[in-house]
Amino acid sequence: MDTGARGQNDAEILPVNAQISAQASVQVQALLRLREMILAGELPGGARIAELSIVEKLGFSRTPIRAALMRLEQEGLLDALPNGGYAVKTFSERDVSEAIELRGTLEGLSARLSAERGAPPVVLNEARECLREIDTVLSQPALNDDAFSSYVTLNARFHALLSEMAGSVVIAKELERVSSLPFASPSGFVVVQANSPKARDMLVVAQDQHWQVLDAIDRREGSRAESLMREHSRMAQRNLRQAVQSQQLDQIPGVRLIRRRS
């Protein structure tokens, strides 16, 4: 083997790999920044977005911006226009309600399959540990911003573990798709609760449902597990109504994209 030639080839490959990694990083940055602008209301609902104007505004090249726009269309935050370009999508309150209902249905199905098939013990243990951490957060008599932030992170982790337990790539993919709308994610409206005097009480109720679902899965009680997850999503429906009626819209990412019922 010609070690000299191999060394030369390796030297040529490394810069290419590094370049690909750098390009991927730029695409992620462009995606995050553009999504942030939409959810923060910098690009209001119905506004037309031209690729070139975003390139100029954000300072990225056209390739990562084009990729970001396509991804945000897939996520449902943008609509592709017939003559080119995109428009920021708006959602009716019913749209969001149905997305939450769909997530609850899928999570219920996932929980039932987890119970019937038998969830992997290692994932069950991870879920229990996650809930213990949430218990610690909720053990405080009053919750500050850091506590709410910790809850959101741990809550997202627990729901991800529930999805993993079923061992279904199809369901997991559909759950990821429907939860990509910020309003339909498991913690989509938790920030609304932060402004409520009963904030901690509502999260304690949700946490009890978490433990009950996990118990049902562990006991292989499929119907009970499914019913509990469907009921769990009902809390998000209540939070949706509170969010839309809130006078503090600037604190709730994306809510300005929701059209209130007339």
Side-chain angles (χ1 to χ4, degrees), residues 181-226:
L181 287 176
F183 326 111
S185 67
S187 297
F189 292 104
V190 168
V191 69
V192 179
Q193 296 172 312
N195 300 315
S196 167
K198 296 183 179 180
R200 180 182 172 280
D201 294 342
M202 289 187 284
L203 295 185
V204 167
V205 172
Q207 173 68 347
D208 181 65
Q209 292 176 336
H210 289 158
W211 278 113
Q212 292 298 323
V213 167
L214 204 59
D215 178 71
I217 292 173
D218 193 25
R219 293 175 182 272
R220 310 289 289 269
E221 298 172 348
S223 295
R224 176 175 167 236
E226 181 173 23

Side-chain angles (χ1 to χ4, degrees), residues 18-40:
Q19 184 177 10
I20 293 173
S21 177
Q23 290 173 346
S25 177
V26 170
Q27 288 182 359
V28 170
Q29 291 176 39
L31 174 63
L32 293 176
R33 180 68 184 103
L34 193 50
R35 186 191 288 126
E36 178 186 345
M37 290 173 64
I38 293 171
L39 297 181

Side-chain angles (χ1 to χ4, degrees), residues 38-156:
I38 293 171
L39 297 181
E42 293 181 46
L43 297 172
R48 185 179 184 279
I49 299 178
E51 182 181 304
L52 190 57
S53 66
I54 296 298
V55 167
E56 295 173 352
K57 187 177 184 65
L58 297 185
F60 293 104
S61 66
R62 299 189 69 167
T63 298
I65 292 298
R66 185 178 297 117
L69 291 169
M70 292 175 63
R71 176 61 185 272
L72 291 173
E73 182 197 5
Q74 293 170 359
E75 290 184 7
L77 285 176
L78 296 178
D79 278 327
L81 299 176
N83 297 324
Y86 297 85
V88 178
K89 193 171 182 178
T90 59
F91 306 86
S92 70
E93 195 173 334
R94 176 177 289 180
D95 291 337
V96 181
S97 178
E98 290 176 351
I100 293 172
E101 183 74 17
L102 179 56
R103 175 175 61 80
T105 300
L106 289 170
E107 286 191 321
L109 174 60
S110 181
R112 177 168 62 81
L113 291 179
S114 298
E116 292 175 351
R117 295 172 177 175
V122 64
V123 184
L124 274 172
N125 287 334
E126 286 183 40
R128 290 191 189 96
E129 180 57 33
C130 183
L131 292 186
R132 291 188 192 103
E133 292 185 50
I134 294 178
D135 281 341
T136 299
V137 171
L138 297 180
S139 66
Q140 305 173 45
L143 304 182
N144 56 25
D145 290 344
D146 289 341
F148 272 101
S149 178
S150 295
Y151 178 87
V152 168
T153 300
L154 292 168
N155 186 50

Side-chain angles (χ1 to χ4, degrees), residues 5-21:
R6 184 184 65 185
Q8 183 178 4
N9 289 338
D10 288 345
E12 292 174 353
I13 291 173
L14 286 174
V16 172
N17 290 340
Q19 184 177 10
I20 293 173
S21 177

